């Protein structure tokens, strides 16, 4: 017997028929003698629809009221799944964020999970009742409803798994695991059987949206075993315990798996892309000590997340250009703030561009392989793709390119690092489920 938290994303619960299939998967886990809690997303497209309502009602919406609106999608799914399970003869009930409660702190619309008081939930699970929990939502210190940022149901699931001491957190989605890159972009992407928390964290933070970044850091912190697998399975498929998906493991476990299977770690584990960045260029900034500090300090104080930074070689007359990226959603704020300080900062113009994409290659193997960045630059150059900015970490290299070249760049790099699956596998069982996609 195990204690399992199962999470189902938007496409997996996209209507009552899909919810019935989910209920079957849940029932099978419970029938195996396991204690089960289920975390659900809103139906596919529902959160987008609710966000649009908020924008229509008031373009400068109050984030606290936004949370009241957008959290409702998950509540509908939770109630419907509990009803469906009951109709199948299972004991099941829903637990809303405020009922557990899932305490959160800091900003509305982007809340972070704090404490979860899961005693009652644990007791209910132990009594054989299936707990159905809407993801994405929590409750603030002021007892108002909060949401945890887009994709936040992953984080709810991992947080609840940690709180009830679950043996496993299974994240069911519309692909059957974590792939070497988004399988919807590269048909020859390969499913990864095991990936370390560190690599998954880096992949998620640079755009692999299969897991919300915070869910991975939380799993790593609390050592929650996380598995990513598909809810689009036949009724007769093997049970989740037999590992059909991707298992996210600690670095120590990863080392052991590599040793046991006599495999060498490749330099690059996965490739991700992110089209939500914007490029900012400040021209003719005074080339003197303290100039860049004066630019980036107020951005940091305003909570604007600066990612890639380039300071060009100084021009004549002690001036230089400074290029950096910010999330598109924060561009307007960053621009207004810098324009306000234009005189003090002494730059000439501010040029912005949202038609850029960040492409990142990630892998623990980079620590022991050389030439990873060089391969990236050469492969892109061979296809005439211009690199506008670069950033690196110990296990990642990112480049900023023209947005129109995103798909080409990802494909070229996927081949260059030897990640393509063999031809014969492309249309075989290892491919992702062939279904339409829309985010919840
Ligand atoms: P859910 O609604 O279940 O939370 P998401 O849309 O948030 O699902 O995440 C699943 C999607 O993530 C997949 O459909 C896939 O297109 C995308 N994705 C991006 N990068 C990867 C990757 N490396 N491996 C698997 N899926 C990925
Ligand atoms: N429904 C929310 C969203 O679409 C949360 C989630 O699905 O994880 O962002
Ligand atoms: Mg998601």
């Amino acid at each position: 017997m195990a204690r399992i938290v199962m999470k189902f994303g938007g496409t997996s619960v996209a209507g009552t028929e899909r919810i019935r299939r989910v209920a079957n998967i849940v029932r099978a886990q419970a029938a195996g003698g396991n204690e089960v809690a289920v975390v659900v997303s809103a139906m596919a497209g529902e959160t987008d629809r609710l966000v649009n309502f908020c924008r229509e009602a008031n373009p400068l919406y109050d984030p606290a009221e936004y949370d009241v609106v957008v959290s409702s999608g998950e509540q509908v799914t939770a109630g419907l799944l509990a009803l469906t399970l009951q109709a199948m003869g299972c004991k099941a009930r829903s637990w809303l964020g405020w009922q557990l409660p899932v305490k959160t702190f800091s900003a509305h619309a982007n809340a972070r999970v704090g404490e979860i008081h899961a005693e009652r939930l644990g007791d209910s699970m132990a009594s054989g009742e299936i707990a159905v929990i809407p993801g994405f939502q929590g409750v603030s210190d002021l007892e108002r409803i909060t949401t945890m940022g887009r994709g936040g149901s992953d984080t709810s699931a991992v947080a609840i798994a940690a709180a009830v001491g679950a043996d496993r957190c299974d994240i069911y989605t519309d692909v059957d695991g974590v792939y070497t890159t988004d399988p919807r972009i590269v048909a020859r992407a390969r499913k990864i059987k095991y990936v370390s928390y560190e690599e998954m964290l880096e992949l998620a933070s640079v755009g692999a949206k299969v897991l919300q970044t915070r869910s991975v850091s939380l799993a790593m912190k609390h050592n929650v075993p996380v598995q990513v697998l598909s809810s689009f399975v036949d009724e007769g498929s093997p049970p989740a315990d037999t590992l059909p998906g991707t298992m996210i493991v600690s670095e120590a476990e990863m080392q052991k798996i590599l040793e046991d299977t006599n495999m060498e770690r490749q330099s690059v584990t996965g490739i991700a892309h992110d089209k939500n960045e914007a490029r900012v260029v400040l021209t003719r900034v005074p080339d003197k000590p303290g100039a860049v500090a004066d630019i980036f300090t107020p951005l940091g104080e305003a909570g604007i997340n600066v990612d890639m930074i380039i300071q060009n070689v100084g021009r004549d007359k002690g001036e230089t250009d400074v290029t950096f990226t910010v999330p598109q959603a924060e561009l307007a704020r960053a621009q207004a703030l810098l324009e306000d300080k234009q005189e003090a900062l002494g730059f000439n113009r501010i040029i912005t561009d949202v038609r850029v994409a960040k492409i990142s290659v990630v892998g623990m193997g980079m620590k022991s392989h050389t030439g990873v960045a060089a391969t990236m630059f050469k492969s892109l150059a061979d296809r005439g793709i211009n690199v506008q900015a670069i950033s690196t970490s110990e296990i990642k290299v990112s480049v900023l390119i023209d947005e129109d070249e995103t798909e080409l760049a990802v494909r070229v790099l996927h081949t260059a690092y030897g990640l393509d699956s063999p031809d014969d596998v492309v249309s075989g069982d290892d491919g992702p489920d062939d279904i339409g996609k829309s985010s919840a």
Side-chain angles (χ1 to χ4, degrees):
M1 189 205 74
R3 182 170 265 200
I4 302 168
V5 173
M6 310 168 79
K7 180 259 170 179
F8 293 89
T11 342
S12 305
V13 293
T16 44
E17 179 48 31
R18 290 265 9 131
I19 291 176
R20 200 189 57 75
R21 294 180 70 98
V22 164
N24 272 321
I25 299 174
V26 173
R27 180 172 60 168
Q29 283 292 344
N34 300 306
E35 292 174 13
V36 179
V38 194
V39 175
V40 287
S41 284
M43 295 191 201
E46 182 61 13
T47 309
D48 288 341
R49 195 175 76 96
L50 296 169
V51 170
N52 279 333
F53 281 150
C54 293
R55 292 200 179 118
E56 279 168 29
N58 182 348
L60 298 173
Y61 53 75
D62 168 10
E65 297 306 341
Y66 163 97
D67 279 349
V68 172
V69 177
V70 300
S71 60
S72 66
E74 270 70 12
Q75 177 164 334
V76 171
T77 324
L80 289 174
L81 179 58
L83 285 172
T84 311
L85 285 163
Q86 288 169 357
M88 289 175 173
C90 301
K91 235 168 78 177
R93 72 154 278 191
S94 63
W95 295 83
L96 303 187
W98 62 270
Q99 289 170 324
L100 283 171
V102 177
K103 294 267 192 184
T104 62
F105 58 94
S106 94
H108 273 282
N110 195 19
R112 303 175 78 92
V113 188
E115 276 173 67
I116 298 181
H117 300 284
E119 296 79 18
R120 284 198 305 149
L121 176 66
D123 291 348
S124 151
M125 289 169 76
S127 77
E129 188 170 59
I130 298 171
V132 187
I133 301 158
F136 191 42
Q137 60 170 253
V139 57
S140 73
D141 280 350
L142 300 173
E143 303 202 321
R144 300 207 61 182
I145 290 192
T146 55
T147 62
M148 301 172 194
R150 297 307 302 269
S153 295
D154 297 329
T155 302
S156 307
V158 172
I160 285 160
V164 299
D167 297 290
R168 216 171 62 224
C169 182
D170 289 340
I171 307 271
Y172 286 84
T173 182
D174 54 11
V175 283
D176 60 352
V178 177
Y179 279 67
T180 46
T181 192
D182 189 338
R184 289 174 203 285
I185 291 199
V186 178
R188 294 178 72 170
R190 217 189 304 210
K191 188 161 91 188
I192 310 171
K193 211 164 174 188
Y194 297 96
V195 62
S196 69
Y197 289 120
E198 287 85 348
E199 287 173 315
M200 194 62 234
L201 187 62
E202 197 85 54
L203 278 168
S205 72
V206 293
K209 73 166 194 162
V210 61
L211 289 175
Q212 197 195 36
T213 309
R214 279 187 198 156
S215 71
V216 187
S217 45
L218 213 57
M220 186 160 130
K221 184 170 161 203
H222 297 283
N223 236 318
V224 178
V226 173
Q227 183 176 209
V228 177
L229 63 176
S230 174
S231 71
F232 290 75
V233 287
D234 299 332
E235 311 260 320
S237 305
D241 328 49
T242 57
L243 237 194
T246 297
M247 199 72 208
I248 303 172
V249 297
S250 69
E251 189 46 36
E253 287 169 282
M254 194 75 204
Q255 289 300 338
K256 182 156 188 326
I257 291 161
L258 290 167
E259 271 165 35
D260 289 353
T261 51
N262 222 352
M263 278 187 12
E264 210 208 323
R265 200 161 209 165
Q266 289 192 297
S267 59
V268 169
T269 301
I271 302 175
H273 69 277
D274 183 356
K275 294 184 178 177
N276 296 315
E277 299 258 316
R279 187 172 63 119
V280 179
V281 184
L282 299 180
T283 66
R284 312 190 80 132
V285 176
D287 195 3
K288 60 168 196 209
V292 282
D294 291 345
I295 296 169
F296 293 113
T297 306
L299 291 171
E301 283 168 358
I304 295 168
N305 202 353
V306 174
D307 182 18
M308 308 169 116
I309 302 177
I310 295 186
Q311 179 171 350
N312 295 28
V313 178
R315 309 166 178 233
D316 301 340
K317 293 192 249 146
E319 291 170 337
T320 183
D321 291 348
V322 175
T323 301
F324 57 93
T325 62
V326 295
Q328 273 178 30
E330 285 164 16
L331 177 61
R333 231 156 39 89
Q335 189 165 355
L337 199 154
L338 291 167
E339 277 168 357
D340 244 23
K341 295 185 182 294
Q342 180 161 10
E343 211 169 306
L345 297 174
F347 63 87
N348 179 36
R349 283 176 66 204
I350 176 165
I351 304 164
T352 63
D353 188 359
V354 292
R355 298 202 47 78
V356 290
K358 185 171 74 172
I359 313 292
S360 307
V361 300
V362 172
M364 271 292 179
M366 268 178 216
K367 288 187 178 182
S368 49
H369 289 74
T370 54
V372 174
T375 302
M376 185 173 199
F377 305 147
K378 168 111 183 37
S379 313
L380 296 173
D382 285 349
R383 291 306 190 100
I385 299 172
N386 188 37
V387 171
Q388 304 175 11
I390 301 164
S391 70
T392 62
S393 79
E394 216 179 1
I395 64 163
K396 177 199 78 184
V397 186
S398 301
V399 291
L400 196 73
I401 62 166
D402 187 321
E403 188 186 49
D404 291 342
E405 292 171 326
T406 307
E407 279 77 11
L408 175 63
V410 174
R411 280 199 196 97
V412 164
L413 295 175
H414 199 265
T415 306
Y417 291 109
L419 298 175
D420 289 350
S421 67
D423 277 337
D424 49 47
V425 181
V426 174
S427 56
D429 291 338
D430 271 1
D433 301 295
D434 184 20
I435 49 143
K437 178 65 203 143
S438 63
S439 76

